[in-house]
Amino acid sequence: MAAPLPKRIIKETERLQNEPVPGISALPHDDNARYFDVMVEGPGGSCYEGGVFNLELFLPDDYPMTAPKIRFLTRIYHPNIDRLGRICLDVLKNNWSPALQIRTILLSIQALLGAPNPEDPLNEAVAKQWKENQAEAIKTAREWTALYATAKK
Amino acid sequence: MDSEDEVNSVVSSVDVGMDDDDSSVDFGADSDVEIDDHYQDDAAFETQEKDLMPKKKAFEVDYRVYSPEDIQKQQDKQVAEVSTLLEQPHEITAILLRFGRWNKERLIEKYMDNQEEVLDKAGLGQDVYKSPPRIDPPRIFTCDICCEDGPHESFALKCGHRFCVTCYRQYLFQKIRGEGEAARIKCPGDGCNRVIDTKSLDLLVTSDLTDRYHELLMRTYVDDKENLKWCPAPNCVYAVECGVKKRDLNKVVPTVQCDCHHSFCFGCTLADHQPCPCSLVRRWLKKCEDDSETANWISANTKECPRCHSTIEKNGGCNHMTCRKCRHEFCWMCMGVWSEHGTSWYNCNRYEEKSGLDARDAQARSRQSLERYLHYYNRYANHEQSARLDKDIYHKTEKKMTLLQGASGMSWIEVQYLEEASRSLQQCRQTLKWTYAFAYYLARNNMTEIFEDNQKDLEMAVENLSEMFEKPTDQLAALKVEMMDKTTYCNRRRVILLDDTAKRLKDEQWEFNVELS
């Protein structure tokens, strides 16, 4: 087996389970404690409200010196999230700091759902729509949320 | 011998600049180099020296080669100077200067204007601790990075974000080794802008990491200075200083020779490409590579930074690009400055339409001009190949020289002419190669003929000399005088061609069928 799990990861995992963040859950895989199934609820009042979004999160070997790798698995209509579910978020890139945690990152992602930023687009088509016809964009986001992110299983 | 002088003039002007430091070398008005001030005292001496020197050719530029130690000294000196002015310790001044990209005057002005703001932006604001950072003795506390309670040694910058020394070290290791970052390593605290200083770094990490750190710092120093460039030769550690500015590159081809003997263009750091100006070289090389797979991949997957022309692959993230090298912020779609279109980024769609149109146009045009292109390309490629073959000859020359010594009883000194000839061939072919790229973009007018005549003369001289190399070794001794003459002639033709081309380039007399960008 690989090196023992750092205390940091154990502690973070425990805390995620013992003091869960409302609307967010992250469960490590039994066979890989660095790989998490993440679920984020769309924030209330946003066009993602009522949606439950699945993400995958992986802690690389050099975590927490480098940021976790994270990606949406559920399709989502959002200017900062592309078709593959990759996320454009500063704290996952330049502004990552080892003092940040899984929970803070997930909170940032939830906040990003509440405040889409079409000025810094990853998904151009979506961002364009967002800028030019916000009402229409929000409507599409709602439809997608209902279509892809509403619990059926 | 008049011709001899011309041949040697390139070398001699360099020699004087480097060995005697007395310098007819003029770095331009805004040079920061301290050594200059010092030598201004010798003004009278300098003019005398100038009179003695052979006149500089139009295609030569002034430059100076620096060793890493020289560069370090330059930095230290500037830091020391500004340090006294700003009344800040050395390591803090160094951070400020790096933040101000080594533009002393502007930094000092800004600092005097608004000290708080400059310190804050440079990552030096809001001190929690007043005393200089040090490693605290072991005690119990939970480090936010490893979540261990200790007891462990800990460290915090003046911002007060405290972490255990092990984590701090790992963090710095990741930044320096992993990310190649040095000048802008921040405190690991979330959202903290505090930049780590050299002194703190020295406290924390081992010497091999500090060596790397200083190497990276040196790199950013040279990268930040417009008048300094690293010699691009593999494993070469020298940097070259030259006063030629980017905006002058359409008028001059600033060719410099490093102490490692590599000749390169200061403008674009490619190997010597006289007489062709950088922008045409860039255009030409791109064109030549258009058919290769690599070029296809590069053109499909990368773009060039609009400011420093570094090739960039976008492997994720949004359109807001920040060039890793020069920190230029631009939009990936339209390549425009980011700050200008932050709120109207959708303008980029226009780019899509226009570029589609341009691409189709370009394709149609390229088919028509393919024939013309091939004419120049074949000659260009031929010289490139011949230069490579001549290089083989160069390696064989040594063998020949030894053979010749045995066969004819000539001394080592007496057979040096072979090496001279071989070197001359290399250099002339390099020049000839680029004359074809140059000619490809030249619009036809009265002067084109002069250029083509010069080109033809040099080409004939080169081929004549090249032919002599093919002769069997036993005949070489008899050809010595002829070969020396031909070598001299080649060099002279090259100088004539370069001089004439450079003069006209400077006076903007050439007309090109493309825009010099």
Side-chain angles (χ1 to χ4, degrees):
Chain A
M1 265 302 282
L5 211 56
K7 185 161 177 195
R8 151 97 184 219
I9 296 181
I10 298 169
K11 274 211 166 176
E12 273 202 69
T13 311
E14 278 171 13
R15 198 165 157 226
L16 279 165
Q17 263 135 56
N18 300 340
E19 311 160 40
V21 192
I24 291 175
S25 81
L27 276 173
H29 276 203
D30 290 336
D31 56 349
N32 186 352
R34 288 176 176 270
Y35 187 92
F36 291 72
D37 287 324
V38 175
M39 180 226 68
V40 173
E41 284 174 19
S46 77
C47 47
Y48 307 102
E49 186 172 5
V52 176
F53 298 88
N54 292 313
L55 296 91
E56 59 177 351
L57 182 149
F58 180 70
L59 303 176
D61 282 344
D62 41 9
Y63 179 83
M65 295 308 157
T66 59
K69 307 243 173 287
I70 185 157
R71 176 173 92 91
F72 271 84
L73 295 172
T74 310
R75 287 199 71 179
I76 180 166
Y77 191 81
H78 191 289
N80 310 107
I81 299 162
D82 74 3
R83 249 184 260 172
L84 297 175
R86 295 176 300 193
I87 306 158
C88 184
L89 190 60
D90 60 342
V91 285
L92 289 174
K93 298 195 283 182
N94 308 348
N95 287 344
W96 168 255
S97 136
L100 287 167
Q101 297 183 8
I102 299 174
R103 61 196 300 127
T104 43
I105 285 298
L106 294 179
L107 278 167
S108 299
I109 289 172
Q110 201 178 36
L112 186 70
L113 294 186
N117 178 14
E119 305 296 348
D120 206 352
L122 177 58
N123 191 329
E124 277 111 35
V126 177
K128 185 171 180 236
Q129 177 76 334
W130 219 277
K131 299 277 298 186
E132 288 174 354
N133 191 344
Q134 195 172 344
E136 192 61 33
I138 287 173
K139 196 175 145 229
T140 315
R142 280 223 171 83
E143 283 166 12
W144 281 39
T145 305
L147 196 61
Y148 302 111
T150 314
K152 284 174 273 188
K153 294 170 227 169
Chain B
M1 268 212 303
D2 161 52
S3 54
E4 193 81 54
D5 284 349
E6 284 175 359
V7 174
N8 291 335
S9 60
V10 184
V11 182
S12 57
S13 67
V14 174
D15 278 349
V16 172
M18 288 182 310
D19 295 341
D20 308 337
D21 273 342
D22 61 27
S23 229
S24 59
V25 183
D26 167 28
F27 291 112
D30 47 354
S31 166
D32 298 314
V33 181
E34 310 311 326
I35 300 161
D36 278 32
D37 304 342
H38 173 61
Y39 286 104
Q40 272 163 15
D41 304 340
D42 306 311
F45 183 69
E46 187 187 334
T47 40
Q48 272 179 7
E49 194 73 18
K50 226 172 207 166
D51 295 340
L52 294 174
M53 278 185 37
K55 227 177 137 199
K56 206 178 66 161
K57 291 283 167 192
F59 61 90
E60 291 167 352
V61 291
D62 294 319
Y63 62 92
R64 178 180 270 170
V65 182
Y66 289 109
S67 70
E69 294 77 37
D70 295 336
I71 300 168
Q72 189 58 50
K73 265 185 230 153
Q74 253 186 50
Q75 284 187 73
D76 292 346
K77 190 156 185 187
Q78 290 182 59
V79 168
E81 227 181 66
V82 178
S83 172
T84 21
L85 251 163
L86 304 186
E87 296 172 326
Q88 289 279 7
H90 277 216
E91 67 277 10
I92 301 299
T93 312
I95 292 176
L96 284 167
L97 274 166
R98 274 175 227 131
F99 161 73
R101 305 196 75 165
W102 296 94
N103 188 331
K104 278 188 300 187
E105 287 73 26
R106 212 172 48 202
L107 173 74
I108 293 166
E109 198 177 298
K110 271 190 181 166
Y111 187 87
M112 296 308 176
D113 247 23
N114 193 341
Q115 184 174 337
E116 292 272 295
E117 194 191 327
V118 172
L119 282 173
D120 203 52
K121 278 193 178 155
L124 295 163
Q126 281 131 35
D127 291 358
V128 172
Y129 297 151
K130 288 295 166 219
S131 57
R134 61 188 171 91
I135 293 175
D136 266 17
R139 61 184 164 96
I140 300 245
F141 92 105
T142 311
C143 165
D144 273 349
I145 296 177
C146 61
C147 296
E148 301 282 355
D149 301 320
H152 34 207
E153 290 183 313
S154 65
F155 182 84
L157 289 170
K158 282 188 172 177
C159 56
H161 298 113
R162 183 165 295 280
F163 302 99
C164 80
V165 165
T166 318
C167 285
Y168 233 111
R169 283 194 182 124
Q170 255 179 43
Y171 173 73
L172 294 172
F173 185 86
Q174 164 69 21
K175 285 283 167 194
I176 297 168
R177 286 268 172 225
E179 296 170 28
E181 184 69 80
R184 299 176 192 88
I185 301 179
K186 291 175 180 172
C187 158
D190 175 21
C192 181
N193 265 329
R194 187 86 200 185
V195 171
I196 190 158
D197 58 279
T198 326
K199 260 194 180 163
S200 304
L201 193 104
D202 287 343
L203 282 177
L204 288 162
V205 300
T206 48
S207 67
D208 61 324
L209 205 59
T210 35
D211 287 351
R212 174 77 183 149
Y213 174 77
H214 285 287
E215 198 185 311
L216 289 166
L217 281 184
M218 185 111 70
R219 215 178 269 179
T220 43
Y221 173 75
V222 173
D223 286 347
D224 276 349
K225 293 225 126 189
E226 206 197 349
N227 56 355
L228 273 181
K229 290 225 168 97
W230 294 110
C231 168
N235 299 322
C236 178
V237 294
Y238 292 109
V240 175
E241 181 177 57
C242 175
V244 173
K245 297 276 179 297
K246 217 167 133 189
R247 58 170 183 273
D248 300 327
L249 288 180
N250 287 337
K251 289 185 172 186
V252 57
V253 187
T255 309
V256 298
Q257 194 184 29
C258 177
D259 283 6
C260 73
H261 301 301
H262 178 62
S263 282
F264 66 98
C265 166
F266 188 81
C268 62
T269 66
L270 291 174
D272 176 8
H273 58 67
Q274 289 185 101
C276 206
C278 297
S279 65
L280 292 184
V281 168
R282 220 167 21 240
R283 216 183 255 269
W284 176 257
L285 289 176
K286 214 164 217 172
K287 186 169 181 62
C288 294
E289 283 175 357
D290 260 357
D291 297 326
S292 80
E293 277 310 301
T294 315
N296 281 339
W297 187 90
I298 288 174
S299 82
N301 295 290
T302 70
K303 292 181 182 180
E304 278 178 16
C305 166
R307 190 158 86 188
C308 72
H309 298 292
S310 300
T311 307
I312 298 171
E313 180 200 1
K314 188 162 114 85
N315 56 6
C318 52
N319 282 329
H320 182 175
M321 304 297 291
T322 306
C323 173
R324 217 185 143 90
K325 202 166 162 208
C326 72
R327 304 266 151 189
H328 180 57
E329 293 183 45
F330 61 95
C331 163
W332 185 253
M333 290 301 286
C334 74
M335 305 303 282
V337 181
W338 185 259
S339 62
E340 276 174 12
H341 77 328
T343 52
S344 58
W345 68 272
Y346 49 79
N347 279 347
C348 303
N349 277 19
R350 278 185 219 150
Y351 167 79
E352 285 282 75
E353 287 161 26
K354 194 176 172 298
S355 77
L357 211 68
D358 284 353
R360 281 193 292 281
D361 277 2
Q363 207 168 8
R365 252 180 282 124
S366 83
R367 241 163 244 157
Q368 276 175 6
S369 57
L370 194 65
E371 286 298 308
R372 180 171 178 272
Y373 165 65
L374 282 176
H375 168 90
Y376 290 103
Y377 178 73
N378 287 334
R379 281 154 187 81
Y380 166 88
N382 176 47
H383 280 296
E384 191 167 60
Q385 199 199 6
S386 300
R388 223 177 294 135
L389 295 176
D390 286 345
K391 210 170 218 164
D392 292 343
I393 291 179
Y394 183 80
H395 292 307
K396 285 182 200 146
T397 303
E398 222 165 56
K399 231 183 261 168
K400 274 193 184 173
M401 284 159 77
T402 327
L403 271 173
L404 202 54
Q405 284 176 83
S408 63
M410 288 163 98
S411 72
W412 179 253
I413 295 287
E414 280 174 303
V415 296
Q416 284 298 310
Y417 72 95
L418 272 178
E419 201 186 327
E420 297 262 314
S422 163
R423 207 180 302 145
S424 161
L425 265 185
Q426 289 278 313
Q427 205 177 25
C428 290
R429 287 222 190 262
Q430 178 85 357
T431 305
L432 270 174
K433 179 177 117 176
W434 285 109
T435 59
Y436 282 105
F438 185 77
Y440 174 74
Y441 293 110
L442 212 50
R444 200 150 271 283
N445 65 16
N446 293 339
M447 276 167 313
T448 331
E449 236 163 277
I450 302 174
F451 179 77
E452 284 174 349
D453 278 350
N454 280 332
Q455 190 185 33
K456 195 175 77 200
D457 287 344
L458 177 59
E459 190 151 51
M460 266 161 59
V462 164
E463 294 304 338
N464 273 332
L465 181 59
S466 187
E467 206 185 320
M468 297 186 86
F469 260 96
E470 315 272 308
K471 298 261 158 68
T473 317
D474 53 359
Q475 286 179 30
L476 279 177
L479 291 169
K480 177 173 175 180
V481 177
E482 201 183 332
M483 217 158 167
M484 282 172 77
D485 284 351
K486 288 211 154 97
T487 306
T488 311
Y489 183 66
C490 272
N491 289 334
R492 196 156 146 202
R493 290 312 320 175
R494 176 175 172 269
V495 168
I496 290 171
L497 185 144
L498 289 180
D499 199 41
D500 181 70
T501 320
K503 266 186 202 143
R504 289 177 206 276
L505 191 67
K506 195 175 167 199
D507 299 339
E508 297 180 80
Q509 287 180 19
W510 298 115
E511 280 174 42
F512 298 103
N513 46 30
V514 290
E515 279 288 311
L516 290 186
S517 54

